[in-house]
Amino acid sequence: QVQLVESGGGLVQPGESLRLSCAYSGSMRNIGEMAWYRQAPGKERELVASIRDGIKRYSDAVLGRFTISRDFSTDGAKTTVSLEMRNLEPEDTALYYCHATGVNRLRGRDFWGQGTQVTVSS
């Protein structure tokens, strides 16, 4: 049973920072890319950042301000993917989702978290 749980969203003022976390329980042997997406009202879901085999990619909108990272537990049973968001702007307001792409035994499947709201407003 694959489950991703996001946390860390909230209401902040422009220029402030937030750190989002996505906890994945299970073997990373069956997970390839992990990513953060966001979706604002009236807009399509967009890929914000991704990490795969140590390679990190960012959208132009967040490049230089956001940082994606991945941490593993000692026993490998839990993986946390974080998104450090700095110098937040009102345009960053959205529902942020953690996403994982299955490989090996989970090939052909992908997984979404429930989402965490980030609101940047004066």
Side-chain angles (χ1 to χ4, degrees):
Q1 191 81 5
V2 176
Q3 185 174 21
L4 291 79
V5 180
E6 304 105 327
S7 62
L11 173 64
V12 297
Q13 295 184 343
E16 295 184 343
S17 300
L18 280 176
R19 181 183 178 91
L20 306 182
S21 295
C22 173
Y24 170 81
S25 297
S27 175
M28 283 301 299
R29 188 173 70 90
N30 298 321
I31 296 295
E33 181 179 275
M34 297 196 72
W36 284 95
Y37 287 79
R38 68 185 183 186
Q39 187 167 23
K43 297 183 178 180
E44 293 187 350
R45 180 183 57 193
E46 64 172 326
L47 176 63
V48 175
S50 66
I51 182 168
R52 183 185 67 191
D53 296 330
I55 300 175
K56 301 177 181 180
R57 302 181 69 89
Y58 302 93
S59 69
D60 291 339
V62 307
L63 183 64
R65 298 188 297 117
F66 290 13
T67 302
I68 188 170
S69 61
R70 182 174 57 202
D71 294 309
F72 301 91
S73 64
T74 303
D75 60 3
K78 181 180 179 180
T79 300
T80 300
V81 176
S82 299
L83 185 68
E84 298 179 2
M85 305 183 293
R86 304 179 300 277
N87 194 24
L88 285 161
E89 305 170 350
E91 292 74 20
D92 296 317
T93 296
L95 187 62
Y96 284 72
Y97 295 94
C98 181
H99 179 263
T101 300
V103 297
N104 298 328
R105 293 183 179 181
L106 297 179
R107 185 172 183 266
R109 300 175 61 185
D110 62 349
F111 310 92
W112 294 94
Q114 82 286 356
T116 184
Q117 179 68 39
V118 173
T119 302
V120 185
S121 176
S122 299

